[in-house]
């Protein structure tokens, strides 16, 4: 019993003590909050309000005033620099971020952030050599991946394909993602550049690299076959394109006619025609019809294949081929398929388009359903504009 009373006394004594500590902690937090608000320049909050209201010009003026009142605040400088960049005032953005980098008291994390912002300024301004140097300075920092991705875009834009392939390979090794197909494109571009300079051995090596990094990619096989065909090695070109036909039949359509010409040149007409017919049964295409016409140009065979194409997959391209032949050669059902193809192609052009926002509709509207503008629809359809 004595023990319970003793415990109760301590409990009653502890409640007011705990309350006092809580009250003191809340007062401390309130004082700290008031001090922070007092220390933060009022123009900063004014600038934020203007920015939220999309008044960028006035927001910039407010942030400049805030920076003048508190020149040591790096967050204010970043806000001002980003605003300048968004406004296209790249020179002023560069000055703000270079000023940050020149501060000896800037912490390492803030310095890296300023370096990244400066690199973005240079990139947006089109100063690619300075942007490259700025992004390279970020290697090994928390901005490393972001910098490498930016460098990859920079190298692709400036057509520095070897540097792009090297950067993409580093990104893949770092676990950022799969860049195999992209790297294959880079080496294909290297091959094209080498062929233009007459450096055919370098082009061969580049295509080999492209195939090694992305065996599934279609473009190396397309280029390989084209290079072999130009060199008169049509049998080898057919081998490359046959592999392409098996791996990527959709991409094979890009070289179907070249494939047929190489087949004629190498005496493989029958085998090539059989392969194209089999592919056409699975994937009807006007490109395959044109290729088969190279292998079997007899008028009757061409008309039969074209009529079958119009029945199964009417298109404007097939309709043009029909119109190139005399009407007497058209089978009876071809005229109906021809009308179907034209109607299908014309349907998207029979719409009305709002001049204010581009909203399209089959019916005419006096008020646009998209932007609610009045009288914004020209009273003519798209194909008549």
């Amino acid at each position: 019993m004595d023990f319970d009373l003793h415990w109760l006394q301590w409990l009653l004594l502890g409640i007011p003590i705990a309350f006092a500590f809580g009250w003191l902690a809340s007062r401390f937090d309130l004082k700290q909050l008031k001090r922070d608000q007092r220390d933060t320049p009022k123009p900063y909050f004014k600038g934020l309000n203007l920015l939220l209201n999309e008044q960028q010009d006035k927001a910039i003026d407010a942030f400049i005033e805030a920076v003048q009142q508190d020149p040591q605040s790096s967050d204010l400088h970043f806000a001002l620099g980003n605003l300048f960049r968004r406004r296209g005032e790249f020179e002023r953005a560069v000055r703000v971020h270079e000023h940050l980098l020149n501060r000896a008291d800037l912490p390492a994390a803030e310095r890296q952030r300023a370096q990244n912002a400066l690199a973005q300024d240079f990139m947006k301004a089109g100063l690619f050599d300075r942007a490259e140097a700025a992004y390279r300075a970020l290697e090994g920092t928390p901005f490393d991946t972001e910098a490498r991705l930016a460098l990859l875009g920079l190298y692709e834009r400036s057509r520095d394909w070897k540097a792009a392939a090297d950067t993409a390979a580093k990104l893949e090794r770092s676990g950022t993602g799969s860049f195999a197909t992209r790297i294959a494109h880079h080496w294909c571009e290297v091959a094209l550049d080498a062929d233009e300079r007459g450096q055919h051995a370098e082009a061969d090596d580049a295509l080999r690299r492209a195939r090694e990094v992305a065996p599934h990619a279609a473009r190396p096989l397309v280029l390989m076959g084209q290079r072999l065909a130009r060199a008169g090695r049509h049998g080898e070109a057919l081998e490359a394109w046959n592999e392409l036909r098996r791996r990527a039949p959709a991409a094979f359509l890009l070289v179907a006619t070249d494939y047929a010409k190489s087949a004629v040149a190498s005496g493989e007409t029958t085998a090539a025609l059989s392969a194209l017919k089999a592919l056409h049964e699975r994937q009807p295409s006007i490109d395959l019809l044109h290729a088969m016409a190279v292998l079997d140009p007899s008028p009757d065979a061409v008309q039969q294949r074209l009529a079958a194409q119009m029945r199964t997959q009417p298109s404007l391209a097939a309709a043009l081929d029909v119109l190139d032949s005399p009407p007497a050669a058209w089978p009876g059902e071809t005229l109906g398929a021809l009308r179907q193809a034209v109607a299908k192609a014309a349907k998207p052009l029979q719409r009305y388009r709002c001049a204010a926002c581009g909203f399209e509709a089959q019916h005419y509207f006096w008020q646009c359903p998209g932007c609610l503008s009045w009288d914004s629809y020209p009273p003519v359809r798209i194909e008549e504009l």
Side-chain angles (χ1 to χ4, degrees):
M1 184 66 179
D2 292 338
F3 175 78
D4 291 342
L5 288 174
H6 184 69
W7 179 83
L8 184 59
Q9 289 174 349
W10 277 108
L11 180 62
L12 293 174
L13 182 63
I15 289 175
I17 294 174
F19 176 78
F21 276 118
W23 181 82
L24 288 173
S26 66
R27 294 297 297 170
F28 176 79
D29 290 341
L30 287 173
K31 288 181 179 179
Q32 182 67 31
L33 178 61
K34 290 179 179 179
R35 189 181 300 113
D36 291 342
Q37 290 178 342
R38 184 172 63 251
D39 293 342
T40 303
K42 291 182 179 179
Y44 174 74
F45 297 104
K46 179 182 177 182
L48 285 178
N49 184 52
L50 291 168
L51 193 59
L52 290 172
N53 291 322
E54 299 183 357
Q55 300 182 48
Q56 292 189 10
D57 292 333
K58 294 181 179 179
I60 286 176
D61 294 336
F63 279 125
I64 290 175
E65 183 182 350
V67 168
Q68 290 171 346
Q69 293 185 18
D70 187 7
Q72 299 303 314
S73 173
S74 58
D75 285 334
L76 289 174
H77 284 78
F78 282 121
L80 186 59
N82 291 338
L83 265 179
F84 282 143
R85 189 193 312 127
R86 287 171 58 185
R87 291 276 299 167
E89 299 180 48
F90 304 120
E91 185 176 348
R92 299 178 76 182
V94 167
R95 286 205 302 268
V96 169
H97 294 130
E98 284 183 336
H99 170 73
L100 279 173
L101 285 172
N102 290 331
R103 280 175 47 181
D105 63 334
L106 197 67
E110 295 294 281
R111 186 172 299 279
Q112 294 161 0
R113 182 183 171 192
Q115 182 71 34
N116 184 53
L118 182 63
Q120 293 180 50
D121 297 337
F122 289 142
M123 180 72 92
K124 290 290 187 179
L127 302 173
F128 296 145
D129 53 341
R130 300 182 69 179
E132 179 183 3
Y135 277 124
R136 283 192 174 280
L138 291 167
E139 291 183 4
T141 72
F143 294 94
D144 184 272
T145 298
E146 182 179 341
R148 289 190 190 279
L149 288 170
L151 282 171
L152 178 58
L154 187 154
Y155 291 139
E156 289 181 342
R157 184 181 298 185
S158 59
R159 303 184 67 80
D160 189 348
W161 301 116
K162 290 184 178 179
D166 180 61
T167 302
K170 290 178 180 178
L171 282 166
E172 183 160 315
R173 287 196 296 270
S174 69
T176 305
S178 176
F179 291 82
T181 302
R182 198 163 174 175
I183 296 171
H185 281 297
H186 297 155
W187 285 115
C188 286
E189 294 289 348
V190 171
L192 289 172
D193 291 344
D195 272 335
E196 287 184 4
R197 301 193 311 271
Q199 303 293 327
H200 303 303
E202 181 182 349
D204 288 337
D205 182 64
L207 283 180
R208 178 186 59 77
R209 287 171 175 258
R211 293 218 61 196
E212 286 177 354
V213 73
H216 59 281
R219 191 180 183 190
L221 289 170
V222 169
L223 293 182
M224 189 180 301
Q226 290 173 335
R227 295 179 73 246
L228 290 169
R230 284 197 300 270
R233 298 158 62 181
H234 294 287
E236 295 175 68
L238 287 180
E239 291 180 9
W241 283 332
N242 277 326
E243 183 178 353
L244 174 67
R245 177 172 53 83
R246 292 189 294 269
R247 287 179 177 269
F252 174 79
L253 301 180
L254 299 172
V255 293
T257 301
D258 294 331
Y259 174 85
K261 291 177 180 178
S262 288
V264 172
S266 60
E268 297 289 338
T269 303
T270 304
L273 184 60
S274 177
L276 292 182
K277 285 181 177 179
L279 180 58
H280 187 267
E281 289 178 1
R282 302 192 306 271
Q283 188 175 332
S285 167
I286 194 67
D287 294 304
L288 293 176
L289 289 187
H290 292 162
M292 286 189 280
V294 173
L295 298 169
D296 181 11
S298 63
D300 290 343
V302 170
Q303 287 298 325
Q304 289 176 4
R305 289 193 293 265
L306 187 56
Q309 176 79 10
M310 290 294 293
R311 286 195 302 270
T312 58
Q313 193 179 39
S315 65
L316 282 184
L320 284 175
D321 284 354
V322 170
L323 294 174
D324 284 340
S325 60
W330 299 353
E333 69 276 11
T334 301
L335 188 59
L338 182 65
R339 186 186 183 286
Q340 182 182 353
V342 174
K344 180 180 177 182
K347 188 175 181 179
L349 301 176
Q350 298 301 306
R351 297 172 177 267
Y352 296 95
R353 179 186 294 155
C354 174
C357 70
F359 188 90
E360 296 181 4
Q362 291 183 340
H363 303 287
Y364 184 82
F365 288 100
W366 294 102
Q367 183 186 30
C368 175
C371 65
L372 303 181
S373 298
W374 291 98
D375 293 321
S376 59
Y377 274 85
V380 292
R381 292 181 172 85
I382 293 174
E383 67 174 343
E384 297 172 337
L385 291 175

